[in-house]
């Protein structure tokens, strides 16, 4: 069993920044590719970003490319999502997810093995 706990969500003004964190309760954190997804009210969950096991490769949704940065610190069992230039359409519950031995930088949520509880991000205009 793997537990993922997100933190860092909150209320921020448009144009501002926020950093989300996700910490995993697992010894072999470096065996998981880590992704971020988000879900706005009334909408389907959508892919945001993914990072490979070593942190050497990333992939982003077009909607956040250039504004968001995913990173990880394997020594701390933590993956981050730095969100800059936030827009109102970024408002959603953000989830981190773990893909055991993932190596394809998947955008498909069903391919992930473990999920956090989510953290709310609200961007005001």
């Amino acid at each position: 069993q793997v537990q993922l706990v997100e933190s860092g969500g909150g209320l921020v003004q448009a144009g501002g920044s926020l950093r989300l964190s996700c910490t995993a309760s697992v010894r072999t954190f470096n065996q998981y590719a880590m992704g971020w997804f988000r879900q706005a009210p009334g909408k389907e969950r959508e892919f945001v970003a993914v990072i490979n096991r070593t942190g050497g490769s990333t992939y982003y949704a077009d909607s956040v490319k250039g504004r968001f940065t995913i990173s990880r610190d394997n020594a701390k069992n933590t993956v981050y999502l730095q969100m800059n230039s936030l827009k109102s359409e970024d408002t959603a519950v953000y989830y981190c997810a773990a893909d055991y031995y993932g190596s394809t930088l998947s955008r498909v949520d069903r391919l992930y093995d473990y999920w956090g509880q989510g953290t709310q991000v609200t961007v005001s205009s």
Side-chain angles (χ1 to χ4, degrees), residues 6-120:
E6 303 98 332
S7 62
L11 177 65
V12 65
Q13 292 182 313
S17 298
L18 206 61
R19 189 185 75 165
L20 306 183
S21 300
C22 174
T23 300
S25 61
V26 61
R27 177 182 176 186
T28 55
F29 183 66
N30 63 354
Q31 295 181 5
Y32 297 84
M34 298 295 298
W36 285 97
F37 293 78
R38 67 186 183 187
Q39 187 169 26
K43 296 184 178 180
E44 295 182 347
R45 184 165 56 192
E46 66 174 343
F47 167 79
V48 176
V50 62
I51 189 167
N52 75 339
R53 291 177 289 144
T54 65
S57 185
T58 60
Y59 184 79
Y60 298 90
D62 289 342
S63 59
V64 306
K65 194 174 301 180
R67 300 188 297 119
F68 291 10
T69 302
I70 188 171
S71 62
R72 67 191 296 162
D73 186 341
N74 285 350
K76 297 181 178 179
N77 278 23
T78 301
V79 62
Y80 304 95
L81 185 67
Q82 178 66 47
M83 305 184 293
N84 298 327
S85 301
L86 283 162
K87 306 173 181 179
S88 60
E89 52 261 45
D90 295 318
T91 295
V93 176
Y94 284 71
Y95 300 90
C96 69
D99 179 8
Y100 184 65
Y101 260 90
S103 60
T104 60
L105 300 179
S106 180
R107 300 173 295 171
V108 181
D109 55 3
R110 67 177 180 270
L111 298 181
Y112 287 79
D113 301 294
Y114 304 99
W115 293 83
Q117 82 288 351
T119 185
Q120 176 70 49

